[in-house]
Amino acid sequence: MEAGSRVEAGSRTVVIGLGNEFRRDDGVGWTVAGLLKRRAEEFPLPPGVVVAQCDGDPGRLIELWGDAGLAVVVDACFPPAAEPGRTHRWEEAAGGPPSATGPARHSTHGLGFAEAVDLGRALGRIPRRLIVYAVEGADLSPGPGLTPAVAGVVPELLRRIRADLERHGVFAGGARGVHAGRPAGTRRTEVTARWPFA
């Protein structure tokens, strides 16, 4: 598939937050996924969409994304001279270059993430399209809570993920399709269609 193409009808989409919620900025992926999960309790996910949190273990990542048409991964990265909150986006089809050259190379889970992509390719368990957001962090000290600069980019990350899902056709007949029997323009249909980024 070329960039911008639709995910095949009926295929799974998974949004994965990587990290450690008890290592300050390393928890940005968990924070994003946690917000999506909480909002999904009120506004159901489109069919076939899963939100998950993961510590970066290759086996667990492959299990989460193995049969997905689209996987969106959010993680923290800690490059030299980091600018906290600066966000990198990387996208590839399953046959693209090794992930070790992407933004994950400065992740605290970089080795595991790269291994998961390489092993997933070898096993034929890799998403057809993979999008990675890597957010530069400043603080890896023990304890919960993001620094203000990193916390400040979370709303924009949610909007960008929503745009990715729309661009790949995840919401085409998705959120509205859950309540397709309702009259167009009803409150329930409109609210569900806004999930979870309004």
Side-chain angles (χ1 to χ4, degrees):
M1 287 192 305
E2 296 300 321
S5 61
R6 290 177 178 270
V7 173
E8 292 180 12
S11 65
R12 288 176 67 250
T13 295
V14 60
V15 180
I16 304 170
L18 291 186
N20 183 338
E21 61 181 328
F22 300 109
R23 292 292 302 274
R24 303 286 293 181
D25 287 342
D26 196 35
V28 64
W30 277 64
T31 297
V32 169
L35 284 171
L36 296 180
K37 284 183 172 183
R38 286 193 292 275
R39 293 182 188 184
E41 293 173 2
E42 184 176 0
F43 305 123
L45 291 157
V49 178
V50 174
V51 177
Q53 292 158 311
C54 181
D55 61 4
D57 175 79
R60 284 187 281 274
L61 272 171
I62 290 171
E63 186 66 27
L64 286 168
W65 73 30
D67 60 349
L70 172 67
V72 181
V73 177
V74 182
D75 194 9
C77 64
F78 297 86
E83 294 183 20
R86 182 167 61 180
T87 302
H88 306 269
R89 183 183 181 280
W90 169 69
E91 179 173 357
E92 70 161 26
S99 62
T101 63
R105 67 185 180 277
H106 296 300
S107 167
T108 56
H109 328 285
L111 181 59
F113 181 80
E115 287 177 338
V117 173
D118 292 339
L119 182 58
R121 285 197 185 108
L123 296 175
R125 300 200 64 202
I126 191 77
R128 285 192 293 278
R129 185 156 296 275
L130 176 62
I131 298 172
V132 179
Y133 286 97
V135 181
E136 294 187 17
D139 190 348
L140 266 173
S141 62
L146 306 175
T147 59
V150 173
V153 304
V154 168
E156 178 61 21
L157 273 172
L158 296 176
R159 287 190 288 270
R160 293 177 71 177
I161 293 168
R162 167 71 190 229
D164 285 325
L165 300 186
E166 288 181 335
R167 186 164 53 88
H168 288 283
V170 173
F171 284 93
R176 285 188 172 87
V178 173
H179 303 288
R182 294 176 179 270
T186 63
R187 183 176 184 276
R188 178 66 174 176
T189 300
E190 291 171 353
V191 171
T192 302
R194 289 200 304 266
W195 182 94
F197 306 89

